[in-house]
Amino acid sequence: MIKDIIAEGLASGWQHIDGASQQGEQELDCDVLIVGSGAGGGISAQVLSQAGLKVIVVDEGPLKSSQDFKLQERQAYPDLYQESAARKTKDKAISIFQGRCVGGSTTVNWTTSLRTPEPTLQHWQQRWSFRELHSKSLAPYFQKAEQLLGISPWLNTNQNNALLAKGCEALNWPYQAIPRNVKQCWDLGYCGMGCPTNAKQSMLVTTIPAALNAGATLLSRFRVKALQFSNDAITGAQLQALDSKQRANGAKVNIHARQVVLSAGAIGSPAVLLRSKVPDPYQLVGKRTFLHPSVMSGAVFEQAVNSHQGAPQSVYSDHFVWRDGSDGECGYKLEVPPVHPILLATKISGFGQFHSDMMQQINHLQVTIALLRDGFNEQSIGGQVQLRDDGSPVLDYPISDFVWRGARRALLSMAELQFAAGAKQVFPLHEQSRLVSSWPQAKTMIEQLPMQALATRLASAHVMGGCAMGGDEQTSLVDEEGNYRWLDGLSVIDGSVFPTSLGANPQLSIYAMALRNAELLAKRLQA
């Protein structure tokens, strides 16, 4: 019998308000309002509530528990993801996967937990005037997060990952084991649909319960309409309650707070600031938003691969990430995704009989992805969060020639790797691609493919930037402690503060920076 942490906590008296059951209008007050319950919000909630502060955590998604996670894509995507896992950039060229539930993306991610690469931290010091944040100062927070969340290398590799390693070995490319945030993992392979055994140490089963046990209040299915401020200082926020289909149901909550921590993610946090019309003298809110745009390559193997089983990610290669220096040509990280039916069907190109044939080979497919490192070069400025007429956010992310050059090189590298691993056929995910049976054929085809939006398939599960941190007020919105420069009582603690992408999966970087800045904030508020 699997212990239902959430059900037991609610039965013990946790303070939780579900927007779907609310009517009318009410007033609440607290010391700290935390907007978002993912990696930044969850950590902040635990630190600040255990410091004795009165904390309210609000999330626009529902509160789910292990018994709600049924390993079904058709249920998980609409229940747990932004826009039912169909969120895309403004031109529809890049699919974006983000969680929308208590725990945020930590509830549905694939558990990869990597420290911020040293070249990234050095670039931030040189280009973005970082003074206090570097590998030495962050090391204690990385260690603390790793201990708190059970993060260690995962050595039980499934075939999908093993073939990535095999290709690297054949080509003499270095590769490493991926650390994961799990305890007593059953190795089911369905991390993206919520963990039914509570093995994944997401915010849903770690920091949020810790915060609620310390007296915090959780509001699920509430959306922040706007922050409230007066005389350049935060006073609170206006919330809209949402029904079970995430539509405003007419109920409202006004929260009075002396501090707001914005942790709604790199699309959500800029959107709240834009809706609130906060002071922004250099017009930086929402700009320089990054994605690690990822290109994909499928390979058909003679033997069964069964890429839906086992830890989704356990091997990666950084062979191409930093080869031309941090501000050189667009580098890319090689990983694999899990291959589940709906995810494959919506990402693979082609149609009709070809699409059907590919789907029928799902158990023999190995898929490799290349995460393009964006934001380090002046030709890679990322995207901009904008608001639609209804106030909802959309990311405008034009893809530069610089990024397209990286995409072509990445497709070439993946095809070479997959043939080196023994693939009998390879299929780069592109509308004008076809199955090819050798590395020379693949090379000739990929070099001729037009690198164009909507033709080249791109996806991302890493959204960073939009509220850049740094040492210069003309180029950054928050200082190195996450303080918003133009309003007292407002902090930003999530991946939106990264001034570039990371060149690595962002989960652990957010945890470490959140631990540091939430602890510093707690001391200030207690003083």
Side-chain angles (χ1 to χ4, degrees):
M1 186 74 179
I2 296 169
K3 180 179 180 180
D4 191 325
I5 296 170
I6 302 301
E8 290 186 7
L10 293 172
S12 72
W14 281 354
Q15 298 178 70
H16 169 236
I17 302 173
D18 186 344
S21 63
Q22 292 302 292
Q23 296 179 340
E25 188 168 348
Q26 61 176 310
E27 309 279 325
L28 297 174
D29 66 85
C30 61
D31 294 315
V32 187
L33 169 64
I34 300 175
V35 182
S37 62
I43 291 284
S44 299
Q46 177 172 338
V47 170
L48 294 166
S49 59
Q50 289 182 344
L53 295 160
K54 185 176 181 181
V55 171
I56 293 176
V57 183
V58 58
D59 199 290
E60 68 174 350
L63 174 62
K64 299 288 186 179
S65 73
S66 53
Q67 64 182 332
D68 296 315
F69 302 142
K70 305 297 185 185
L71 314 183
Q72 296 288 329
E73 290 177 287
R74 60 186 170 85
Q75 179 180 345
Y77 297 154
D79 280 357
L80 305 175
Y81 284 77
Q82 291 285 0
E83 301 175 29
S84 299
R87 173 169 274 184
K88 295 180 184 297
T89 49
K90 191 173 183 178
D91 63 359
K92 316 296 184 190
I94 309 176
S95 300
I96 302 172
F97 298 97
Q98 284 186 291
R100 190 215 52 212
C101 53
V102 173
S105 292
T106 73
T107 300
V108 295
N109 70 16
W110 300 338
T111 74
T112 297
S113 303
L114 299 167
R115 292 190 179 192
T116 314
E118 181 61 29
T120 301
L121 292 171
Q122 290 180 1
H123 178 86
W124 290 354
Q125 291 165 39
Q126 295 163 5
R127 171 64 181 81
W128 296 94
S129 304
F130 277 48
R131 297 289 180 267
E132 304 298 326
L133 285 172
H134 44 71
S135 55
K136 185 176 181 180
S137 66
L138 283 172
Y141 299 101
F142 282 127
Q143 293 168 3
K144 189 172 182 178
E146 288 160 353
Q147 292 171 358
L148 175 69
L149 302 171
I151 294 171
S152 61
W154 186 259
L155 303 178
N156 188 17
T157 300
N158 70 5
Q159 272 297 300
N160 200 19
N161 285 272
L163 289 168
L164 171 60
K166 184 178 180 180
C168 286
E169 289 175 353
L171 296 167
N172 198 29
W173 297 352
Y175 67 93
Q176 294 80 31
I178 287 179
R180 304 177 64 217
N181 58 320
V182 296
K183 293 180 180 177
Q184 299 178 323
C185 177
W186 292 22
D187 216 12
L188 295 174
Y190 287 73
C191 305
M193 284 151 246
C195 182
T197 70
N198 291 324
K200 185 199 297 186
Q201 299 300 287
S202 70
M203 300 301 95
L204 179 65
V205 300
T206 55
T207 58
I208 295 300
L212 294 171
N213 285 333
T217 298
L218 172 66
L219 274 61
S220 62
R221 285 196 273 228
F222 280 91
R223 179 173 296 142
V224 175
K225 183 177 180 182
L227 303 178
Q228 295 175 314
F229 53 92
S230 176
N231 297 324
D232 296 329
I234 282 288
T235 59
Q238 300 173 316
L239 311 185
Q240 292 176 316
L242 307 175
D243 63 18
S244 60
K245 297 187 182 300
Q246 295 296 124
R247 299 173 301 201
N249 63 9
K252 300 176 182 176
V253 174
N254 293 314
I255 296 183
H256 307 282
R258 61 182 173 124
Q259 180 78 33
V260 169
V261 173
L262 204 49
S263 302
I267 291 179
S269 288
V272 171
L273 295 175
L274 290 169
R275 286 200 297 268
S276 306
K277 297 182 171 55
V278 297
D280 178 20
Y282 297 101
Q283 301 296 297
L284 299 176
V285 173
K287 293 179 180 174
R288 292 189 60 82
T289 302
F290 302 102
L291 289 173
H292 288 153
S294 301
V295 287
M296 299 156 274
S297 183
V300 181
F301 282 78
E302 196 68 49
Q303 72 273 24
V305 180
N306 294 325
S307 299
H308 58 286
Q309 296 178 347
Q313 295 186 321
S314 57
V315 172
Y316 72 99
S317 174
D318 277 355
H319 184 58
F320 297 99
V321 180
W322 307 106
R323 290 210 322 178
D324 298 315
S326 62
D327 57 356
E329 282 295 311
C330 187
Y332 46 93
K333 185 182 195 70
L334 299 178
E335 296 179 346
V336 306
V339 182
H340 295 287
I342 294 176
L343 186 63
L344 177 65
T346 55
K347 293 294 161 287
I348 199 164
S349 49
F351 55 90
Q353 190 61 49
F354 174 82
H355 194 278
S356 175
D357 291 345
M358 291 297 289
M359 290 301 299
Q360 290 183 48
Q361 300 194 73
I362 185 169
N363 288 336
H364 289 261
L365 281 178
Q366 194 270 351
V367 178
T368 300
I369 54 177
L371 286 61
L372 300 167
R373 177 175 55 79
D374 49 346
F376 291 77
N377 186 290
E378 62 183 14
Q379 300 175 57
S380 176
I381 62 172
Q384 178 177 356
V385 176
Q386 301 171 349
L387 297 180
R388 301 184 179 99
D389 291 343
D390 65 356
S392 64
V394 62
L395 176 62
D396 185 22
Y397 190 106
I399 305 169
S400 66
D401 289 343
F402 174 84
V403 173
W404 282 131
R405 291 198 301 272
R408 189 187 302 278
R409 291 197 308 277
L411 288 172
L412 287 165
S413 297
M414 291 189 291
E416 184 179 11
L417 179 141
Q418 288 169 320
F419 279 118
K424 64 177 185 179
Q425 292 177 305
V426 166
F427 180 69
L429 269 60
H430 188 287
E431 286 296 333
Q432 297 182 27
S433 181
R434 66 184 189 279
L435 277 165
V436 289
S437 302
S438 70
W439 164 230
Q441 286 182 358
K443 187 171 185 294
T444 299
M445 179 180 70
I446 293 169
E447 287 175 341
Q448 295 174 354
L449 290 175
M451 292 291 109
Q452 297 174 344
L454 303 177
T456 307
R457 291 298 174 99
L458 291 163
S460 174
H462 303 165
V463 190
M464 300 152 284
C467 299
M469 176 182 285
D472 181 349
E473 68 178 30
Q474 295 189 35
T475 58
S476 61
L477 281 167
V478 301
D479 65 21
E480 289 180 75
E481 294 187 14
N483 300 312
Y484 191 78
R485 295 187 184 281
W486 312 108
L487 278 178
D488 291 337
L490 177 61
S491 303
V492 184
I493 301 181
D494 60 17
S496 71
V497 302
F498 299 149
T500 66
S501 73
L502 298 175
N505 307 54
Q507 176 174 218
L508 180 51
S509 295
I510 300 173
Y511 291 145
M513 201 173 293
L515 276 168
R516 175 187 183 271
N517 288 349
E519 289 180 2
L520 292 172
L521 177 60
K523 289 179 182 176
R524 289 203 303 275
L525 294 176
Q526 289 171 316

